[in-house]
Amino acid sequence: MKLLIFFILLINFLVHPQDIDLIGVPGGRVLELKIHPTQNNIVYGGTYEGALFRTFDGGILNQYLELNFKDFRIQDIELVNEDIFLKINKYILRSTNSGLEWLNDSFFSSLPGEIIINPDNPSIVYISIGNKEIWKSYDRGDNWFLLKSFDINLRSIAIAKTDTSFLYAGADNTLYKSTNSGNNWIEVLDTTAAIEITQIEVNPYNENTIYLLANGKLSKSEDGGQSLRVLRSSGEFVLNPLDTLTIYALAGGISKTTDEGVSWSQVNNGLPGFPNCLEIDPLNPETLYSGIGSLGVFKTTNGGDDWFLTNLSYASRVYDAWIHTSGKIEVGQYGWGIMKTTNNGKDWLHPTFIPNDFQNIKCRDITYHPQDSSKGFLAAYLALGKTTDGGDSWVSTFLLPRIYCVAYYPSKPETLFAGTADVPAGGSFLHQSTDGGETWNVIIDLGSWLNGVGKFYFDPINTDIIYARGGTNILKSTDGGLTWENKVE
C-alpha cells in the first residue's frame, strides 16, 4: 500500500511539475559587502552561512548566487569588471563571468587572508596566505607565485590608487611598505608594543597618506607609516573617496567625522542594532551599506542621516512559518524574530516586538488559537512571546526561558504545551498551561535531552494522541498529555 501511494505521488509530480519560488525574508548575518567599482547599483553581500547575494538596483530586488559551498563563511569579496574573487574559509573562489561559473583555487597550503586587485591593471591580483605570505598573479588568478614571506603574522595588505607600485602590509608590531610592486619591502614602523594592524586604507590622492586600524584604534600617517596620529577607538572604517576629511567608523554604532577626526557624531537613525560591516559607494559616497547582525543590510543615501532596510539578504535561519489565508505568512527566524508578509512574500514587514532586542531573538515556533486567530504565542528562545492582535504586535511574557516550541491543543483550545531546554541549569522540561498561557506547570522532566522538545504533533482523528519530537527522540501521549512514553530508546 505504501509503495502504491509513493508511485501515485511520483506520477502526480511528473504530470504536474512544481514551480518553486524563493521568497526572501529580509535578514541574515552578512559578513561582507562590496559595491562594484564602476557600476554602483551592483552590490554583493556574503553571509555567515556561505550564501552570496547580489542586487542590480541598489538593494530593491535581490538575486541568490549558487556556490555549492554551504555553511562556509564568506569573509572577503573583491570585484573588477566581470571578475569576482571570494574568500570562503580555506578556499578562494573566483568567477570570470559575473558569477555564472566558479573556479575553486584551493591549491594554497594555508588559509587565505585578504585579496586586493590592482586598480590600473585588473589582471594583477595579490593575496595573503597563512598569515605569513603574499602571493601574486599576473593573469587574473590563473597562475600564482610567491612574492614575499614574512617572519611574523601578516594581518592586512593594501595598494595605492595614485601609484599602484606602492603596497603596504600590516604584521604584528610592524608596518611594511613596498615601492616596486612587492619585489622589495622595508619596515617603516616597528613598535615594541603588541599590536595587530587589521586594516589599512591608502588615501586615494596620496600614496604616502594611510589610515590604520590597530588594536581597536584608528590612526593616520602622512609620511608613509613612519609616524601615527590616533583619531579614535574604532572597529572597521571606510573613507569617503571624494572627500578624505570624511570617515565613517564602527564604534558603538556608526560614527562619522567630516574634519578628519577632530570631531565625531553618531549617524544611527534607522539602525535597529550594532553594525558588523560597512561599505561606501565609490561613485556616490553619500550612499553606504551596512550589515546589522542577523537583521540584514541597511542603506543610507544621505551620508548616514537616515537608514532603511534593503533586500540584500535573506534570513540566515528560518525556524518556523505560519501560513494564514489570502497571502499572509508569518516566519519565525533568528534576527527580526517575526517577519510578516500579506502578499505571499513580495513585501515583508516586521511587527512590533516588545522589548525590541531584535539581534538576540530566535523565534523557533509559532502557534495560533484554533478558534480565535487574534491570539497566538511564539517560542522566542529567551522568552515566550504573545500576541492578541493577530500578529501585528508581540510582547515577551518572560515566561519559560529557553523555550523551543509551543502549541495549542486543538481539541482543548485553552490548553497549551511547551518545551524548554537548559541543560546547564538543570535539564529539559515539558510544560502545560490550562488557562490560555497565563500560567505554566512542568509535567515531565526530560533530563539530559540537550535540545529538548522541538515540535508537537496532534492526531487529527484520535485527539488523545499527542507526539513530541526532540532530537532523535519521540515522546507519545495517549491520554491527552497526562502521561508520556519515549518511543525511541
Side-chain angles (χ1 to χ4, degrees), residues 201-414:
E201 301 293 338
V202 185
N203 186 298
Y205 304 109
N206 186 339
E207 62 272 12
N208 284 305
T209 299
I210 60 174
Y211 302 83
L212 304 179
L213 182 63
N215 285 16
K217 301 287 186 181
L218 171 59
S219 301
K220 179 189 177 183
S221 172
E222 296 178 342
D223 51 16
Q226 297 180 57
S227 61
L228 298 178
R229 175 170 62 92
V230 175
L231 301 183
R232 68 160 300 138
S233 298
S234 175
E236 178 185 345
F237 67 94
V238 295
L239 302 177
N240 183 319
L242 303 183
D243 175 12
T244 56
L245 296 178
T246 299
I247 307 172
Y248 296 85
L250 300 188
I254 299 179
S255 293
K256 177 182 180 180
T257 179
T258 58
D259 50 20
E260 206 173 40
V262 176
S263 60
W264 294 83
S265 60
Q266 292 289 103
V267 286
N268 299 320
N269 185 34
L271 294 180
F274 295 105
N276 57 279
C277 58
L278 190 62
E279 177 76 356
I280 191 167
D281 189 330
L283 303 180
N284 180 13
E286 287 293 292
T287 296
L288 297 94
Y289 296 82
S290 181
I292 311 293
S294 295
L295 305 182
V297 177
F298 286 73
K299 179 181 179 180
T300 178
T301 58
N302 55 14
D305 289 341
D306 303 286
W307 296 82
F308 58 89
L309 180 64
T310 72
N311 291 321
L312 194 58
S313 65
Y314 295 152
S316 57
R317 295 183 185 180
V318 173
Y319 293 107
D320 193 26
W322 189 275
I323 301 175
H324 298 263
T325 58
S326 303
K328 180 182 176 182
I329 305 170
E330 286 177 293
V331 172
Q333 45 116 230
Y334 180 23
W336 285 109
I338 287 286
M339 292 296 291
K340 179 179 179 180
T341 178
T342 58
N343 53 13
N344 288 309
K346 182 180 178 181
D347 301 295
W348 291 88
L349 307 169
H350 44 276
T352 302
F353 207 105
I354 303 174
N356 63 350
D357 186 14
F358 293 119
Q359 286 176 271
N360 294 316
I361 296 174
K362 304 176 185 179
C363 291
R364 298 178 177 274
D365 200 14
I366 308 170
T367 187
Y368 276 90
H369 194 288
Q371 298 172 2
D372 184 353
S373 59
S374 67
K375 298 178 180 179
F377 287 93
L378 63 87
Y381 186 58
L382 295 180
L384 178 69
K386 179 180 181 180
T387 182
T388 57
D389 55 13
D392 289 336
S393 63
W394 297 83
V395 176
S396 291
T397 65
F398 295 104
L399 299 171
L400 306 181
R402 301 298 190 272
I403 180 171
Y404 274 71
C405 64
V406 61
Y408 279 97
Y409 193 177
S411 62
K412 298 178 181 178
E414 292 306 306

Side-chain angles (χ1 to χ4, degrees), residues 133-164:
E133 302 169 345
I134 296 179
W135 290 64
K136 185 176 182 178
S137 172
Y138 286 98
D139 51 17
R140 302 163 66 194
D142 288 336
N143 298 282
W144 297 87
F145 73 91
L146 179 61
L147 184 65
K148 170 69 176 176
S149 291
F150 294 87
D151 295 328
I152 53 181
N153 290 327
L154 182 67
R155 305 292 182 182
S156 54
I157 55 177
I159 190 170
K161 292 183 178 180
T162 49
D163 184 346
T164 56

Side-chain angles (χ1 to χ4, degrees), residues 10-80:
L10 178 61
I11 292 172
N12 181 67
F13 178 83
L14 294 176
V15 173
H16 303 285
Q18 307 297 306
D19 293 326
I20 300 176
D21 293 324
L22 179 63
I23 55 174
V25 183
R29 289 178 288 178
V30 175
L31 296 180
E32 181 71 10
L33 292 166
K34 189 64 67 172
I35 302 172
H36 197 282
T38 59
Q39 304 175 67
N40 58 344
N41 277 330
I42 300 178
V43 186
Y44 288 79
T47 72
Y48 184 91
E49 288 76 18
L52 180 66
F53 298 98
R54 176 172 59 191
T55 178
F56 290 99
D57 52 20
I60 299 173
L61 297 177
N62 192 16
Q63 179 186 35
Y64 171 73
L65 298 178
E66 181 61 54
L67 297 177
N68 294 320
F69 273 76
K70 305 299 183 185
D71 299 323
F72 284 85
R73 303 176 187 179
I74 296 180
Q75 297 164 305
D76 195 12
I77 305 172
E78 295 299 328
L79 310 170
V80 61

Side-chain angles (χ1 to χ4, degrees), residues 440-470:
W440 295 83
N441 298 304
V442 174
I443 56 175
I444 183 172
D445 185 343
L446 300 176
S448 60
W449 279 26
L450 182 61
N451 293 320
V453 171
K455 199 72 174 177
F456 293 96
Y457 303 90
F458 301 92
D459 191 309
I461 298 175
N462 186 343
T463 57
D464 286 334
I465 297 178
I466 309 171
Y467 296 91
R469 172 184 54 82

